[in-house]
Amino acid sequence: MGSDPATVLAFLEGIHPYDTLPPAALAEVAGAMQRRSLPPGAAAYRFGEALDGLFLVERGQVEITDANGAPVSILGPRNSFGERGLMRDGHAATTARALGAATVLMLPAARFRRLVDDSPAFARFFTRGAAARPDGGSATAGRGGPPGRGATLATLRVAELVTRAPISCAPATSVAEAARAMRDAHVSSLGVTDGDGRLVGIVTQRDLSDRVLAEGRDPAVAVEAVMTRDPVTLPREALGSDVLSLMLGRGVGHLPVTEAGRFVGMVTQTDLTRFQAVTAGVLIHDIGAAGDVAALAQATGRIPALLVQLVGASQSHEVVTRLITDVADAVTRRLVALAEARLGPAPVPYVWAACGSQGRQEQTGHTDQDNCLIFDDAATADDRRWFEALAQEVCTGLDACGYVFCPGEMMAMTPRWCQPLAVWQGYFRGWIARPDPMAQMLASVMFDLRPIAGDRRLFDALQAETLAAASQNTIFTAHMIANSLKHAPPLGLLRGFATIRSGEHRHQIDMKLNGVVPVTDLARVYALLARIPAVNTRARLVAAEGRGVLSVAGGRDLVAAYDLIADQRLAMQAALVRSGRKPDNFLAPSDLSEFERSHLRDAFVVVRTMQSALGHGRVAAT
């Protein structure tokens, strides 16, 4: 069926990313669009069919289902569909049917691909903001170079140097009140703002010393009498090199940051020093030299700043979480060494292993501890008491350093998880032979074990035996697959998110439990099926594709989805730290732009589709 280009053009003008196209290009696209009327239940396309092009709902609703007929979403006017198949191999990755009568617009495949090639904004929207990596995955757009390479102080944006929420006072505030405000907030300057939040001046501790105390002025004098008026400022988008240039050129130690004239933060010489001092390497060096738990806690207290710095340097999530986990590993090893120095040498060989996010090398700014202790079967009753004391000291030390006790008590200080190798072998054999719900949960956690300190040969023997036995037991594998489907991505049918309905986090989504955990669970099953020894989620996904457990297309889609979800989680945590709050895992979709919401939802759709495929036994074919 034909279409009226003028009507289509008016429709497209208010839809992203069409609104980014030049007028001539947009008019050409409108002219190329084909209008199709779908009666109730009619399919625009079915799974596996060659796609004619990209579809856009003009009127009515369209239901999207996956390869197994499971509903993915219900789309309404202005929503696109079909792009995933077009960006892969040109064949439909889902089925699209009209719910009631519907009208859709179709942009022919060749015209769509030409737009992707010619328009960066259009391409970013329909490729989920991703750029291909050599390993077949994808990375979020805007990353600053290859993994391991971060921004220098000169190239970092000013917004990433601002370490806390702005602290200000009114012009009429007395200098005594200003001094108390600086003392209480542990800062050396205040922005002076008018009633609209616009910056009119700055007052520093030096101003109070030179212009008040040294001059014998009354502490009740107003700040506006001693402040520096109309100070030089920088926008959030400025670079660290601009900060360095202004501080050196003007001899100042404080630079206000403004946005549309409003005061949004302060960069100080202390911030620059802190940036240079907070790197994973520096923290690990300080941890290695720490003589007690207090010194270790002082070092781990700088982890939030490290998180902000790494995210601000556009590092990918796997680099950020690996470096943060490296710090946790260093703390664990140092605590083990301090405990051994007090308790004496170990009576028999042992290995301290981490599970959970530390085991997978995926720690963020918000984590607890999950660990266990495996020791040689030759241990006597007296030897066991030595290991119990070791576990108590290390776990207590980790808690003092910010790695809080595991709510589920999955820690070496819990007697069940401090046992000789033979007991651990019995644990895994029992879980595999009798995969009840508790066994599934425990096996899921323990399959993420990674040795941290001690004799890793004990761990290697346990892992090799366990992977072989588990992969050969089809009943256990089936239970593990079922367990991996328990955490669903937070998708609402009406093109939105299924947010938390009540409580402290109402209208938010849990980016851990419903974001990264579903992918982590999938990757663990793939690793089990292919006997992959890696425990890192991304490494498991890439290895699963390499071994044929995942198809190339399915593997790349899932890695891309995981990258986007994990990057968004870290960006959210870094933003919380910059605002002076503790990082957590809860994200309000309303805090994201329409572009970000669209791509995050697309990533969740990929995860749900892969869960459905695994649940229906369609893994490698996906």
Side-chain angles (χ1 to χ4, degrees), residues 140 317 511 562-574 587 592 596-597 600:
T140 300
H317 70 88
M511 290 292 286
Y562 177 59
D563 285 341
L564 193 149
I565 294 166
D567 280 333
Q568 184 63 65
R569 179 191 181 201
L570 286 177
M572 171 197 72
Q573 291 190 353
L587 171 71
L592 302 177
E596 291 169 325
R597 287 195 299 272
L600 182 59

Side-chain angles (χ1 to χ4, degrees), residues 43-63:
Y45 57 72
R46 294 177 176 82
F47 174 81
E49 292 181 349
L51 285 167
D52 295 335
L54 175 74
F55 291 85
L56 178 65
V57 182
E58 186 177 26
R59 295 186 185 86
Q61 293 183 320
V62 174
E63 181 185 43

Side-chain angles (χ1 to χ4, degrees), residues 110-174:
R111 190 68 189 83
F112 168 77
R113 294 191 177 97
R114 196 155 67 247
L115 269 178
V116 169
D117 291 339
D118 295 344
S119 171
F122 198 87
R124 280 195 300 272
F125 188 87
F126 287 109
T127 57
R128 300 186 181 94
R133 285 184 183 169
D135 61 15
S138 66
T140 300
R143 285 180 173 159
R149 191 179 106 192
T152 65
L153 176 59
T155 60
L156 200 67
R157 288 194 310 122
V158 163
E160 311 304 337
L161 289 171
V162 176
T163 58
R164 62 190 305 161
I167 301 175
S168 61
C169 67
T173 303
S174 71

Side-chain angles (χ1 to χ4, degrees), residues 402-541:
Y403 304 99
V404 298
F405 292 132
C406 173
E409 298 187 336
M410 198 159 284
M411 300 173 290
M413 64 186 287
T414 304
R416 186 180 187 183
W417 309 125
C418 180
Q419 295 291 337
L421 177 61
V423 172
W424 278 99
Q425 290 170 326
Y427 285 162
F428 277 100
R429 289 169 187 158
W431 295 333
I432 293 168
R434 297 176 296 278
D436 58 34
M438 178 59 71
Q440 295 169 36
M441 185 275 290
L442 295 173
S444 293
V445 174
M446 293 304 175
F447 271 121
D448 294 348
L449 282 175
R450 181 173 60 87
I452 304 298
D455 189 344
R456 69 166 296 139
R457 287 176 296 181
L458 291 168
F459 170 81
D460 290 341
L462 177 65
Q463 185 188 47
E465 175 187 326
T466 300
L467 279 177
S471 62
Q472 293 170 5
N473 189 314
T474 55
I475 295 176
F476 174 76
T477 301
H479 279 278
M480 287 293 287
I481 289 174
N483 188 64
S484 73
L485 307 180
K486 290 182 178 178
H487 296 105
L491 290 170
L493 283 179
L494 297 176
R495 196 63 183 178
F497 295 96
T499 59
I500 298 170
R501 294 185 177 183
S502 61
E504 178 186 359
H505 300 294
R506 188 167 178 253
H507 299 318
Q508 296 178 311
I509 56 180
D510 189 332
M511 290 292 286
K512 177 183 177 181
L513 192 63
N514 302 111
V516 298
V517 167
V519 186
T520 298
D521 289 345
L522 287 173
R524 187 182 298 112
V525 172
Y526 300 146
L528 174 63
L529 294 173
R531 300 189 191 182
I532 296 168
V535 293
N536 175 264
T537 298
R538 199 175 193 282
R540 281 171 164 172
L541 295 177

Side-chain angles (χ1 to χ4, degrees), residues 568-590:
Q568 184 63 65
R569 179 191 181 201
L570 286 177
M572 171 197 72
Q573 291 190 353
L576 288 172
V577 173
R578 284 196 298 270
S579 67
R581 291 176 287 174
K582 290 184 178 180
D584 60 30
N585 291 301
F586 297 95
L587 171 71
S590 58

Side-chain angles (χ1 to χ4, degrees), residues 219-394:
V221 68
V223 163
E224 62 184 341
V226 299
M227 70 182 185
T228 299
R229 295 180 179 275
D230 300 321
V232 61
T233 66
L234 284 173
R236 295 167 60 89
E237 295 75 24
L239 299 179
S241 59
D242 300 319
V243 176
L244 293 169
S245 176
L246 283 173
M247 283 188 173
L248 290 173
R250 300 194 176 218
V252 296
H254 303 79
L255 278 174
V257 181
T258 59
E259 188 171 15
R262 287 179 169 78
F263 179 52
V264 296
M266 188 81 73
V267 178
T268 70
Q269 288 180 336
T270 302
D271 293 324
L272 304 187
T273 303
R274 184 183 297 113
F275 175 87
Q276 299 285 35
V278 180
T279 67
V282 169
L283 288 185
I284 291 172
H285 175 272
D286 291 348
I287 288 165
D292 54 28
V293 173
L296 288 172
Q298 188 175 30
T300 56
R302 306 203 303 265
I303 289 177
L306 174 64
L307 170 67
V308 170
Q309 178 176 314
L310 292 171
V311 172
S314 298
Q315 291 286 14
S316 58
H317 70 88
E318 68 269 25
V319 172
V320 177
T321 55
R322 169 60 187 272
L323 292 176
I324 291 177
T325 305
D326 285 349
V327 174
D329 290 354
V331 171
T332 304
R333 294 188 187 102
R334 187 57 184 156
L335 286 169
V336 168
L338 291 172
E340 284 188 345
R342 195 185 71 79
L343 298 171
V348 297
Y350 74 94
V351 61
W352 184 282
C355 46
S357 59
Q358 184 182 3
R360 297 189 303 273
Q361 297 180 300
E362 294 166 5
Q363 287 196 314
T364 67
H366 181 79
T367 187
D368 57 8
Q369 59 174 288
D370 298 282
N371 45 61
C372 64
L373 193 55
I374 306 168
F375 49 87
D376 193 272
D377 293 332
T380 65
D382 287 340
D383 296 338
R384 284 174 176 264
R385 283 190 284 273
W386 187 95
F387 288 114
E388 289 167 0
L390 173 73
Q392 185 70 37
E393 288 201 18
V394 175

